[in-house]
Amino acid sequence: MHTHAPGRGRAGDPASAAAAASETLRTHGLRATRARLLIVAALREVEHPTVEALHQATAGEGIALTTVYRTLESLEDAGLVWAVYVPGVGRTYHLGSQAPHAHMMCRVCGRLTDLDAVPSDASSGWGVPADFTVEHVQLTVIGRCRRCGARDG
């Protein structure tokens, strides 16, 4: 279980992040453009980034907000990125290489916590027809964290 606020960064080596981003793009059949490299590297470094967080992470390199939107759309179309809607936050993004996982969100402080990986057959008990191919499962559990719950009680 990993806890963090959406859009917070992690420390990392920029050279290895760029090399990993280039390899990730190539394995998904995409050209390694400057914008894609920067955005994929930012996706590796920023926890649950929103479009705005990705723009902030790449704006110093001259990447415009519209470029972030277009790049995310192409990465999503290629299956490289998954968008997850988090109530109160909006769309956040994960690299498709991350194991599918659920989230837990405190509605008071906004802290977002990764829960364990979602099993590949997680939707089998939900009445999903056999002829429907599940590509991605999203689950966000909303409540109050221990710290915020203790304030109320």
Side-chain angles (χ1 to χ4, degrees):
M1 194 161 60
H2 303 359
T3 302
H4 42 268
R8 295 280 176 148
R10 314 183 265 250
D13 173 28
S16 62
S22 182
E23 178 62 26
T24 299
L25 288 166
R26 279 195 299 273
T27 60
H28 283 81
L30 296 172
R31 286 186 316 112
T33 65
R34 184 170 175 275
R36 285 179 182 155
L37 287 170
L38 289 168
I39 290 169
V40 169
L43 282 162
R44 290 182 183 281
E45 295 298 316
V46 182
E47 298 283 352
H48 299 111
T50 60
V51 169
E52 293 79 13
L54 289 169
H55 179 243
Q56 186 176 32
T58 58
E61 298 290 331
I63 304 299
L65 183 59
T66 55
T67 301
V68 174
Y69 275 106
R70 282 194 312 262
T71 301
L72 284 171
E73 184 178 343
S74 70
L75 296 174
E76 241 183 308
D77 289 346
L80 180 59
V81 169
W82 289 105
V84 176
Y85 179 78
V86 178
V89 175
R91 289 169 62 100
T92 65
Y93 294 87
H94 297 295
L95 285 173
S97 58
Q98 287 181 297
H101 58 278
H103 297 98
M104 183 171 61
M105 187 188 95
C106 177
R107 66 177 174 79
V108 177
C109 69
R111 190 164 289 291
L112 195 61
T113 303
D114 286 344
L115 297 174
D116 292 334
V118 176
S120 59
D121 64 348
S123 61
S124 64
W126 298 344
V128 176
D131 62 346
F132 184 83
T133 303
V134 176
E135 295 178 351
H136 187 68
V137 175
Q138 295 184 23
L139 174 66
T140 303
V141 179
I142 301 168
R144 290 182 297 171
C145 68
R146 182 180 312 181
R147 219 175 0 168
C148 292
R151 282 190 232 155
D152 290 346

